[in-house]
């Protein structure tokens, strides 16, 4: 972790970048860079949403959404990596299957119905269900990510609090060793 932090630019160097200078007033908001429960949850939700909806340009869109929502920019950008060359085919297949069940596409056409042109077949039988499934999947996954960050963060804080309480009780109940014997 220390190796990664030493390689990443700090906030001041980012704000001094000539390409980012016009946005420096927006980028200087501490909630964009500080990792807390609310900004991390918003960043994860926005990153997952952008990562699933857009096939390209996800990181830029997620960062812009994070800026507007005062979410953690790094979490939002990192969450877009949920779609990568390994996960892209299963995610899009799942989106297609979800879209088929949502839109009713993929049903057998009745006998005697006029044939459709190839472009219309592709549009109605493949593209529309996939797009509908991606939108549905993006909303569900973003909502789940947001909720899981809140629940996980609260659980971790509660667990640490209980551990501190246990240590304090053990220190109170432990007998003091007397070194003054004489």
């Amino acid at each position: 972790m220390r190796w990664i932090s030493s390689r990443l630019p700090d906030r001041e160097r980012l704000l001094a970048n000539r390409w980012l200078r016009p946005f420096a007033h927006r980028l200087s908001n501490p909630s964009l860079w500080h990792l807390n429960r609310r900004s991390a949850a918003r960043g994860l939700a926005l990153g997952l949403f952008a990562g699933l909806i857009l096939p390209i340009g996800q990181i830029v869109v997620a960062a812009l959404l994070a800026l507007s929502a005062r979410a953690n920019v790094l979490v939002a950008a990192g969450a877009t990596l949920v779609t990568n060359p390994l996960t892209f085919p299963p995610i899009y297949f799942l989106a297609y299957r979800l879209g088929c069940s949502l839109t009713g596409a993929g049903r057998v056409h009745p006998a005697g119905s006029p044939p459709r042109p190839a472009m219309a077949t592709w549009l109605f039988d493949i593209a529309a269900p996939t797009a509908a499934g991606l939108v549905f999947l993006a909303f569900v996954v973003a909502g789940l990510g947001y909720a899981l960050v809140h629940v996980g963060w609260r659980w971790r804080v509660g667990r640490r609090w209980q551990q501190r309480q246990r240590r304090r009780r053990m220190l109170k109940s432990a007998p003091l060793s007397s070194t003054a014997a004489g």
Side-chain angles (χ1 to χ4, degrees):
M1 187 70 175
R2 206 175 289 163
W3 181 82
I4 293 172
S5 338
S6 68
R7 303 275 188 266
L8 291 175
D10 59 347
R11 192 171 89 179
E12 287 74 28
R13 279 200 327 205
L14 276 176
L15 296 177
N17 184 311
R18 69 180 178 148
W19 297 103
L20 298 176
R21 210 172 294 138
F23 311 106
H25 65 283
R26 289 194 184 264
L27 292 173
S28 62
N29 186 346
S31 68
L32 299 175
W33 308 103
H34 184 69
L35 192 63
N36 61 43
R37 179 172 48 106
R38 288 179 187 89
S39 70
R42 280 192 298 252
L44 183 68
L46 292 170
L48 289 173
F49 185 80
L52 290 172
I53 289 289
L54 302 170
I56 56 172
Q58 309 157 328
I59 293 176
V60 173
V61 171
L64 291 173
L65 288 173
L67 283 173
S68 66
R70 292 190 329 262
N72 191 297
V73 175
L74 296 176
V75 172
T80 62
L81 299 176
V82 70
T83 51
N84 57 58
L86 293 176
T87 61
F88 191 82
I91 287 173
Y92 271 64
F93 181 72
L94 176 64
Y96 170 73
R97 299 296 289 178
L98 279 170
C100 283
S101 64
L102 290 172
T103 62
R107 294 185 182 147
V108 176
H109 299 290
S113 63
R116 291 189 284 187
M119 182 56 98
T121 300
W122 177 84
L123 186 64
F124 291 115
D125 290 346
I126 298 171
T130 304
L134 281 172
V135 169
F136 179 77
L137 193 62
F139 276 109
V140 168
V141 169
L144 283 173
Y146 184 84
L148 284 174
V149 167
H150 276 286
V151 168
W153 201 290
R154 300 264 325 216
W155 175 78
R156 186 167 183 249
V157 168
R159 197 168 130 234
R160 285 186 163 187
W161 185 79
Q162 287 175 348
Q163 288 173 347
R164 272 196 310 268
Q165 292 294 85
R166 251 187 263 127
R167 274 195 302 259
R168 286 180 186 156
R169 275 184 288 202
M170 287 174 56
L171 287 174
K172 282 183 180 181
S173 65
L176 296 175
S177 61
S178 69
T179 55

